[in-house]
Amino acid sequence: MQLLANSILIQLFDQNVILLGIWETIYMTVLSTAIAYLFGLPLGIVLIITEKDGLHPIPWLNKTLGFVVNAFRSFPFIILMVAFLPISKALIGTRSGNGAMIIMLIIAATPYVARMVESSLKEVDKGVVEAARSMGASNFQIICKVYLPEAKPSLIVGAVISTITVLGYSAMAGEIGGGGLGKIAITYGYQRFHDDVIWVCVAFTAVIVELIQEGGMLLARKLDHRVRQNSKKSKNKKSICKEKIS
Amino acid sequence: MIQLIHLDKTYPAAAGDVVALEDINLTIEDGAIYGIIGLSGAGKSTLVRCINLLEKPTAGQVLVDGEDLTKVKTKRLYEVRRNIGMIFQGFNLLEQRTVEANVRFPLELAKFKKDAAKARVAQLLELVGLSEKAKAYPSQLSGGQKQRVAIARALALSPKYLLCDEATSALDPNTTTAILELLKEINKKLGVTIIVITHEMRVVDSICTDVAVIDQSHIVESGKVADVFAFPQSEIAKQLIIPELIRTVKSAGGNKLRLVFNGEEADTPVVSGLAIECGIAVNILYADTKNIDGKTYGHMVITLPEDEGQAAQVKEYLEKNNVTYKEEI
Ligand SMILES: Nc1ncnc2c1ncn2[C@@H]1O[C@H](COP(=O)(O)OP(=O)(O)OP(=O)(O)O)[C@@H](O)[C@H]1O
Ligand SMILES: [Mg+2]
């Protein structure tokens, strides 16, 4: 049994199944997140500017959008997926495979992204927006030159969280014939009782998550000028010195 | 000239409307440093935000150089706002932009050419004394420095007016003085008309030419600083302008006289003069006077002698020496 299990894992590696799985997971995740941002970012901006104290309050629109976004977010992904597969059929002519999976991921991620963007933009100081208004900035200028740049670090953090969430969803790809590490774990590991395959998939997924997380956070920190960079650097230096001394 | 005519502002709220401003009438002449003073919640911020239409008045007119801003189109309003700079208590700098990029911000909005903007930014940083901090980020600056950046930014488009909403309230006394000096210099050198919102007496005292006192959504009095300060009419103005005087005097009995010094009196020490010339000794209940260039400014409260003849003598002496006095405090 042990020997057989090992050989299956080795086979999976040898035939580049694992490598392909990693690649499929990454590209499904990144592509769907990116497209989700294409829709979610404007949606988040609309949510911010149409709210009660926003730049251009439109209460009915804000409430309607908010309701739709919440409705989508309250479905577990697996239900959403089953419910919306017909859309995939209508759009790309199939209910299965990576293409269908990506469409499902986009549908699930867009409302999530919209809320992420909304909460990042909400962090922008109202006073700064007011200052821009006092200088005669148009609403469009305020979005492009105040909201987005000022919220940049927070938006990046949001993108990291969104990407990781989508990565989690993508593990369910196997259910509808999509590829990726999730599928490998289910078909080879779970259904054929090879725990080691499951653990290898989990390990690779964890590594991918970690890379996205660390890379994204590093970028966010690098781009954030709110922190006192001088004092932070000198603090680091000091603590390093202390360590050396001790 | 800025004129507010029958201005009202009401905020609708579920628990009943909040009246923030009611029938405000105010004229701010060009070249003035106009102080608007009042307690917290009086409506100061709302008033100043109505001037550049950040807040849309419920009723009334806002005339800036004769143009009623409540009636202009959005596009035109953007243009007008470029002629009215504004600074805030919280500075409101763009945290992700350097000092120079902050000052450049309004120039970008107005689509200045790169070179022109660069030259203008350098000029402005020079004006506020922050040329060395051009590449720093707001988080690396002190409060006073941040406000200087905000001032440079507000002046970038060479506005005719500058609105200051509690611009020094977050600063320590020394920094406050420095910022007030800068504002004064801007008024003098650049001819910018400045509107200063504050709850601090000393701000009005040290830079303003005119003042309006606002209380519970109404302007209760207004005029030249010297006049309003010498003879505050309303209870609230007295509390703001001469709080300790009012407190001291209320606790003391007897007939009292308030003397007001505004630098035009004969240069004689009044109290000792009274003693020497009239042989009348008066009690000083309160004195807050200062000497500037040999002239005396401020208030003093003395007790009047019980004897009516002596009391009349005191008043006569004061009149002779050009000291203004008031019987009811
Ligand atoms: N956006 C708003 N919605 C509802 N009520 C408001 C709003 N802004 C101000 N008010 C109310 O209007 C009144 C005047 O507020 P304002 O901010 O003008 O006072 P202020 O004189 O500037 O006070 P402070 O010195 O504390 O800044 C207050 O009663 C306040 O609660
Ligand atoms: Mg205020």
Side-chain angles (χ1 to χ4, degrees), chain A residues 44-69:
Chain A
I45 292 172
V46 171
L47 281 171
I48 276 287
I49 65 171
T50 58
E51 73 173 11
K52 199 166 92 267
D53 306 321
L55 287 175
H56 193 99
I58 313 178
W60 67 265
L61 181 64
N62 189 272
K63 286 215 179 84
T64 313
L65 284 179
F67 178 79
V68 172
V69 163

PDB file of all heavy atoms in Angstrom, chain A residues 44-69:
ATOM      1  N   GLY A  44     -16.924  49.158  -6.590  1.00  0.00           N
ATOM      2  CA  GLY A  44     -16.557  49.672  -5.271  1.00  0.00           C
ATOM      3  C   GLY A  44     -16.555  51.192  -5.263  1.00  0.00           C
ATOM      4  O   GLY A  44     -17.018  51.830  -4.307  1.00  0.00           O
ATOM      5  N   ILE A  45     -16.041  51.792  -6.343  1.00  0.00           N
ATOM      6  CA  ILE A  45     -16.004  53.254  -6.449  1.00  0.00           C
ATOM      7  C   ILE A  45     -17.428  53.802  -6.473  1.00  0.00           C
ATOM      8  O   ILE A  45     -17.742  54.774  -5.766  1.00  0.00           O
ATOM      9  CB  ILE A  45     -15.226  53.690  -7.712  1.00  0.00           C
ATOM     10  CG1 ILE A  45     -13.743  53.327  -7.553  1.00  0.00           C
ATOM     11  CG2 ILE A  45     -15.384  55.188  -7.950  1.00  0.00           C
ATOM     12  CD1 ILE A  45     -12.922  53.526  -8.816  1.00  0.00           C
ATOM     13  N   VAL A  46     -18.295  53.158  -7.243  1.00  0.00           N
ATOM     14  CA  VAL A  46     -19.691  53.618  -7.301  1.00  0.00           C
ATOM     15  C   VAL A  46     -20.337  53.517  -5.920  1.00  0.00           C
ATOM     16  O   VAL A  46     -21.035  54.432  -5.481  1.00  0.00           O
ATOM     17  CB  VAL A  46     -20.500  52.796  -8.338  1.00  0.00           C
ATOM     18  CG1 VAL A  46     -21.978  53.122  -8.236  1.00  0.00           C
ATOM     19  CG2 VAL A  46     -19.992  53.081  -9.741  1.00  0.00           C
ATOM     20  N   LEU A  47     -20.050  52.432  -5.210  1.00  0.00           N
ATOM     21  CA  LEU A  47     -20.603  52.281  -3.861  1.00  0.00           C
ATOM     22  C   LEU A  47     -20.174  53.436  -2.964  1.00  0.00           C
ATOM     23  O   LEU A  47     -20.959  53.957  -2.169  1.00  0.00           O
ATOM     24  CB  LEU A  47     -20.159  50.948  -3.248  1.00  0.00           C
ATOM     25  CG  LEU A  47     -20.922  49.707  -3.714  1.00  0.00           C
ATOM     26  CD1 LEU A  47     -20.242  48.436  -3.217  1.00  0.00           C
ATOM     27  CD2 LEU A  47     -22.368  49.745  -3.235  1.00  0.00           C
ATOM     28  N   ILE A  48     -18.912  53.843  -3.092  1.00  0.00           N
ATOM     29  CA  ILE A  48     -18.394  54.918  -2.242  1.00  0.00           C
ATOM     30  C   ILE A  48     -19.006  56.274  -2.618  1.00  0.00           C
ATOM     31  O   ILE A  48     -19.425  57.035  -1.746  1.00  0.00           O
ATOM     32  CB  ILE A  48     -16.855  55.003  -2.353  1.00  0.00           C
ATOM     33  CG1 ILE A  48     -16.210  53.997  -1.406  1.00  0.00           C
ATOM     34  CG2 ILE A  48     -16.337  56.392  -2.032  1.00  0.00           C
ATOM     35  CD1 ILE A  48     -16.286  54.374   0.049  1.00  0.00           C
ATOM     36  N   ILE A  49     -19.050  56.570  -3.897  1.00  0.00           N
ATOM     37  CA  ILE A  49     -19.480  57.939  -4.223  1.00  0.00           C
ATOM     38  C   ILE A  49     -20.986  58.116  -4.152  1.00  0.00           C
ATOM     39  O   ILE A  49     -21.460  59.232  -3.979  1.00  0.00           O
ATOM     40  CB  ILE A  49     -18.936  58.448  -5.587  1.00  0.00           C
ATOM     41  CG1 ILE A  49     -19.497  57.654  -6.739  1.00  0.00           C
ATOM     42  CG2 ILE A  49     -17.434  58.471  -5.622  1.00  0.00           C
ATOM     43  CD1 ILE A  49     -19.138  58.274  -8.074  1.00  0.00           C
ATOM     44  N   THR A  50     -21.750  57.010  -4.226  1.00  0.00           N
ATOM     45  CA  THR A  50     -23.210  57.182  -4.168  1.00  0.00           C
ATOM     46  C   THR A  50     -23.760  57.069  -2.750  1.00  0.00           C
ATOM     47  O   THR A  50     -24.946  57.222  -2.533  1.00  0.00           O
ATOM     48  CB  THR A  50     -23.933  56.134  -5.042  1.00  0.00           C
ATOM     49  OG1 THR A  50     -23.575  54.833  -4.596  1.00  0.00           O
ATOM     50  CG2 THR A  50     -23.578  56.298  -6.504  1.00  0.00           C
ATOM     51  N   GLU A  51     -22.899  56.796  -1.788  1.00  0.00           N
ATOM     52  CA  GLU A  51     -23.423  56.656  -0.426  1.00  0.00           C
ATOM     53  C   GLU A  51     -23.835  58.014   0.148  1.00  0.00           C
ATOM     54  O   GLU A  51     -23.563  59.058  -0.449  1.00  0.00           O
ATOM     55  CB  GLU A  51     -22.417  55.958   0.483  1.00  0.00           C
ATOM     56  CG  GLU A  51     -21.252  56.831   0.856  1.00  0.00           C
ATOM     57  CD  GLU A  51     -20.343  56.188   1.878  1.00  0.00           C
ATOM     58  OE1 GLU A  51     -20.499  54.987   2.157  1.00  0.00           O
ATOM     59  OE2 GLU A  51     -19.472  56.899   2.390  1.00  0.00           O
ATOM     60  N   LYS A  52     -24.461  57.977   1.281  1.00  0.00           N
ATOM     61  CA  LYS A  52     -25.136  59.166   1.829  1.00  0.00           C
ATOM     62  C   LYS A  52     -24.229  60.398   1.905  1.00  0.00           C
ATOM     63  O   LYS A  52     -24.610  61.479   1.478  1.00  0.00           O
ATOM     64  CB  LYS A  52     -25.699  58.834   3.216  1.00  0.00           C
ATOM     65  CG  LYS A  52     -26.770  59.791   3.658  1.00  0.00           C
ATOM     66  CD  LYS A  52     -27.524  59.252   4.858  1.00  0.00           C
ATOM     67  CE  LYS A  52     -26.965  59.677   6.156  1.00  0.00           C
ATOM     68  NZ  LYS A  52     -26.068  59.090   6.978  1.00  0.00           N
ATOM     69  N   ASP A  53     -23.027  60.221   2.427  1.00  0.00           N
ATOM     70  CA  ASP A  53     -22.116  61.367   2.532  1.00  0.00           C
ATOM     71  C   ASP A  53     -21.109  61.376   1.392  1.00  0.00           C
ATOM     72  O   ASP A  53     -20.075  62.028   1.481  1.00  0.00           O
ATOM     73  CB  ASP A  53     -21.350  61.321   3.865  1.00  0.00           C
ATOM     74  CG  ASP A  53     -22.292  61.226   5.040  1.00  0.00           C
ATOM     75  OD1 ASP A  53     -23.343  61.892   4.980  1.00  0.00           O
ATOM     76  OD2 ASP A  53     -21.985  60.499   5.999  1.00  0.00           O
ATOM     77  N   GLY A  54     -21.393  60.652   0.343  1.00  0.00           N
ATOM     78  CA  GLY A  54     -20.433  60.525  -0.752  1.00  0.00           C
ATOM     79  C   GLY A  54     -20.371  61.759  -1.632  1.00  0.00           C
ATOM     80  O   GLY A  54     -21.049  62.759  -1.398  1.00  0.00           O
ATOM     81  N   LEU A  55     -19.522  61.676  -2.667  1.00  0.00           N
ATOM     82  CA  LEU A  55     -19.339  62.814  -3.569  1.00  0.00           C
ATOM     83  C   LEU A  55     -20.608  63.091  -4.362  1.00  0.00           C
ATOM     84  O   LEU A  55     -20.897  64.223  -4.724  1.00  0.00           O
ATOM     85  CB  LEU A  55     -18.203  62.508  -4.558  1.00  0.00           C
ATOM     86  CG  LEU A  55     -16.794  62.536  -3.999  1.00  0.00           C
ATOM     87  CD1 LEU A  55     -15.809  62.101  -5.062  1.00  0.00           C
ATOM     88  CD2 LEU A  55     -16.461  63.925  -3.493  1.00  0.00           C
ATOM     89  N   HIS A  56     -21.340  62.028  -4.664  1.00  0.00           N
ATOM     90  CA  HIS A  56     -22.539  62.189  -5.476  1.00  0.00           C
ATOM     91  C   HIS A  56     -23.609  61.219  -4.965  1.00  0.00           C
ATOM     92  O   HIS A  56     -23.811  60.149  -5.536  1.00  0.00           O
ATOM     93  CB  HIS A  56     -22.196  61.893  -6.946  1.00  0.00           C
ATOM     94  CG  HIS A  56     -23.265  62.324  -7.886  1.00  0.00           C
ATOM     95  ND1 HIS A  56     -23.215  63.508  -8.579  1.00  0.00           N
ATOM     96  CD2 HIS A  56     -24.436  61.744  -8.228  1.00  0.00           C
ATOM     97  CE1 HIS A  56     -24.300  63.629  -9.311  1.00  0.00           C
ATOM     98  NE2 HIS A  56     -25.057  62.579  -9.120  1.00  0.00           N
ATOM     99  N   PRO A  57     -24.259  61.579  -3.878  1.00  0.00           N
ATOM    100  CA  PRO A  57     -25.188  60.641  -3.238  1.00  0.00           C
ATOM    101  C   PRO A  57     -26.358  60.256  -4.162  1.00  0.00           C
ATOM    102  O   PRO A  57     -27.016  61.128  -4.720  1.00  0.00           O
ATOM    103  CB  PRO A  57     -25.714  61.429  -2.034  1.00  0.00           C
ATOM    104  CG  PRO A  57     -24.761  62.563  -1.843  1.00  0.00           C
ATOM    105  CD  PRO A  57     -24.210  62.867  -3.199  1.00  0.00           C
ATOM    106  N   ILE A  58     -26.510  58.943  -4.355  1.00  0.00           N
ATOM    107  CA  ILE A  58     -27.706  58.437  -5.043  1.00  0.00           C
ATOM    108  C   ILE A  58     -28.206  57.273  -4.188  1.00  0.00           C
ATOM    109  O   ILE A  58     -27.845  56.116  -4.443  1.00  0.00           O
ATOM    110  CB  ILE A  58     -27.400  57.931  -6.467  1.00  0.00           C
ATOM    111  CG1 ILE A  58     -26.546  58.953  -7.227  1.00  0.00           C
ATOM    112  CG2 ILE A  58     -28.700  57.627  -7.231  1.00  0.00           C
ATOM    113  CD1 ILE A  58     -26.157  58.493  -8.620  1.00  0.00           C
ATOM    114  N   PRO A  59     -28.999  57.567  -3.173  1.00  0.00           N
ATOM    115  CA  PRO A  59     -29.352  56.534  -2.185  1.00  0.00           C
ATOM    116  C   PRO A  59     -29.947  55.258  -2.795  1.00  0.00           C
ATOM    117  O   PRO A  59     -29.535  54.155  -2.430  1.00  0.00           O
ATOM    118  CB  PRO A  59     -30.375  57.243  -1.299  1.00  0.00           C
ATOM    119  CG  PRO A  59     -30.064  58.685  -1.443  1.00  0.00           C
ATOM    120  CD  PRO A  59     -29.569  58.867  -2.844  1.00  0.00           C
ATOM    121  N   TRP A  60     -30.855  55.395  -3.755  1.00  0.00           N
ATOM    122  CA  TRP A  60     -31.509  54.179  -4.276  1.00  0.00           C
ATOM    123  C   TRP A  60     -30.514  53.269  -4.977  1.00  0.00           C
ATOM    124  O   TRP A  60     -30.535  52.058  -4.823  1.00  0.00           O
ATOM    125  CB  TRP A  60     -32.687  54.527  -5.189  1.00  0.00           C
ATOM    126  CG  TRP A  60     -32.282  55.194  -6.491  1.00  0.00           C
ATOM    127  CD1 TRP A  60     -32.231  56.531  -6.728  1.00  0.00           C
ATOM    128  CD2 TRP A  60     -31.858  54.558  -7.704  1.00  0.00           C
ATOM    129  NE1 TRP A  60     -31.792  56.779  -8.010  1.00  0.00           N
ATOM    130  CE2 TRP A  60     -31.567  55.577  -8.635  1.00  0.00           C
ATOM    131  CE3 TRP A  60     -31.692  53.223  -8.099  1.00  0.00           C
ATOM    132  CZ2 TRP A  60     -31.108  55.321  -9.926  1.00  0.00           C
ATOM    133  CZ3 TRP A  60     -31.241  52.960  -9.392  1.00  0.00           C
ATOM    134  CH2 TRP A  60     -30.955  54.012 -10.287  1.00  0.00           C
ATOM    135  N   LEU A  61     -29.604  53.877  -5.753  1.00  0.00           N
ATOM    136  CA  LEU A  61     -28.604  53.090  -6.464  1.00  0.00           C
ATOM    137  C   LEU A  61     -27.667  52.401  -5.470  1.00  0.00           C
ATOM    138  O   LEU A  61     -27.356  51.217  -5.589  1.00  0.00           O
ATOM    139  CB  LEU A  61     -27.800  53.982  -7.410  1.00  0.00           C
ATOM    140  CG  LEU A  61     -26.737  53.276  -8.238  1.00  0.00           C
ATOM    141  CD1 LEU A  61     -27.370  52.284  -9.200  1.00  0.00           C
ATOM    142  CD2 LEU A  61     -25.889  54.275  -9.024  1.00  0.00           C
ATOM    143  N   ASN A  62     -27.263  53.182  -4.476  1.00  0.00           N
ATOM    144  CA  ASN A  62     -26.357  52.645  -3.470  1.00  0.00           C
ATOM    145  C   ASN A  62     -26.987  51.453  -2.748  1.00  0.00           C
ATOM    146  O   ASN A  62     -26.352  50.423  -2.553  1.00  0.00           O
ATOM    147  CB  ASN A  62     -26.003  53.766  -2.480  1.00  0.00           C
ATOM    148  CG  ASN A  62     -24.897  53.357  -1.534  1.00  0.00           C
ATOM    149  OD1 ASN A  62     -25.163  52.787  -0.487  1.00  0.00           O
ATOM    150  ND2 ASN A  62     -23.664  53.604  -1.930  1.00  0.00           N
ATOM    151  N   LYS A  63     -28.235  51.629  -2.374  1.00  0.00           N
ATOM    152  CA  LYS A  63     -28.931  50.556  -1.643  1.00  0.00           C
ATOM    153  C   LYS A  63     -29.100  49.323  -2.521  1.00  0.00           C
ATOM    154  O   LYS A  63     -28.864  48.201  -2.079  1.00  0.00           O
ATOM    155  CB  LYS A  63     -30.307  51.042  -1.169  1.00  0.00           C
ATOM    156  CG  LYS A  63     -30.219  52.000   0.007  1.00  0.00           C
ATOM    157  CD  LYS A  63     -31.409  51.813   0.961  1.00  0.00           C
ATOM    158  CE  LYS A  63     -31.305  52.758   2.138  1.00  0.00           C
ATOM    159  NZ  LYS A  63     -31.837  54.096   1.827  1.00  0.00           N
ATOM    160  N   THR A  64     -29.491  49.546  -3.774  1.00  0.00           N
ATOM    161  CA  THR A  64     -29.705  48.415  -4.681  1.00  0.00           C
ATOM    162  C   THR A  64     -28.408  47.643  -4.884  1.00  0.00           C
ATOM    163  O   THR A  64     -28.371  46.419  -4.735  1.00  0.00           O
ATOM    164  CB  THR A  64     -30.218  48.918  -6.047  1.00  0.00           C
ATOM    165  OG1 THR A  64     -31.268  49.844  -5.813  1.00  0.00           O
ATOM    166  CG2 THR A  64     -30.714  47.768  -6.894  1.00  0.00           C
ATOM    167  N   LEU A  65     -27.341  48.374  -5.223  1.00  0.00           N
ATOM    168  CA  LEU A  65     -26.054  47.718  -5.446  1.00  0.00           C
ATOM    169  C   LEU A  65     -25.595  46.983  -4.192  1.00  0.00           C
ATOM    170  O   LEU A  65     -25.136  45.842  -4.260  1.00  0.00           O
ATOM    171  CB  LEU A  65     -25.000  48.748  -5.853  1.00  0.00           C
ATOM    172  CG  LEU A  65     -25.069  49.253  -7.293  1.00  0.00           C
ATOM    173  CD1 LEU A  65     -23.965  50.281  -7.534  1.00  0.00           C
ATOM    174  CD2 LEU A  65     -24.932  48.116  -8.285  1.00  0.00           C
ATOM    175  N   GLY A  66     -25.748  47.656  -3.065  1.00  0.00           N
ATOM    176  CA  GLY A  66     -25.339  47.060  -1.796  1.00  0.00           C
ATOM    177  C   GLY A  66     -26.084  45.758  -1.549  1.00  0.00           C
ATOM    178  O   GLY A  66     -25.508  44.759  -1.113  1.00  0.00           O
ATOM    179  N   PHE A  67     -27.370  45.773  -1.872  1.00  0.00           N
ATOM    180  CA  PHE A  67     -28.199  44.582  -1.663  1.00  0.00           C
ATOM    181  C   PHE A  67     -27.734  43.431  -2.554  1.00  0.00           C
ATOM    182  O   PHE A  67     -27.546  42.305  -2.099  1.00  0.00           O
ATOM    183  CB  PHE A  67     -29.663  44.914  -1.950  1.00  0.00           C
ATOM    184  CG  PHE A  67     -30.585  43.742  -1.800  1.00  0.00           C
ATOM    185  CD1 PHE A  67     -30.997  43.335  -0.533  1.00  0.00           C
ATOM    186  CD2 PHE A  67     -31.012  43.034  -2.912  1.00  0.00           C
ATOM    187  CE1 PHE A  67     -31.829  42.248  -0.389  1.00  0.00           C
ATOM    188  CE2 PHE A  67     -31.841  41.928  -2.776  1.00  0.00           C
ATOM    189  CZ  PHE A  67     -32.252  41.538  -1.506  1.00  0.00           C
ATOM    190  N   VAL A  68     -27.519  43.740  -3.831  1.00  0.00           N
ATOM    191  CA  VAL A  68     -27.085  42.703  -4.776  1.00  0.00           C
ATOM    192  C   VAL A  68     -25.740  42.112  -4.349  1.00  0.00           C
ATOM    193  O   VAL A  68     -25.551  40.888  -4.302  1.00  0.00           O
ATOM    194  CB  VAL A  68     -26.990  43.282  -6.211  1.00  0.00           C
ATOM    195  CG1 VAL A  68     -26.366  42.268  -7.156  1.00  0.00           C
ATOM    196  CG2 VAL A  68     -28.363  43.716  -6.696  1.00  0.00           C
ATOM    197  N   VAL A  69     -24.820  43.015  -4.001  1.00  0.00           N
ATOM    198  CA  VAL A  69     -23.491  42.567  -3.584  1.00  0.00           C
ATOM    199  C   VAL A  69     -23.593  41.650  -2.366  1.00  0.00           C
ATOM    200  O   VAL A  69     -22.996  40.571  -2.319  1.00  0.00           O
ATOM    201  CB  VAL A  69     -22.592  43.793  -3.286  1.00  0.00           C
ATOM    202  CG1 VAL A  69     -21.380  43.384  -2.472  1.00  0.00           C
ATOM    203  CG2 VAL A  69     -22.160  44.455  -4.583  1.00  0.00           C
TER     204      VAL A  69
END
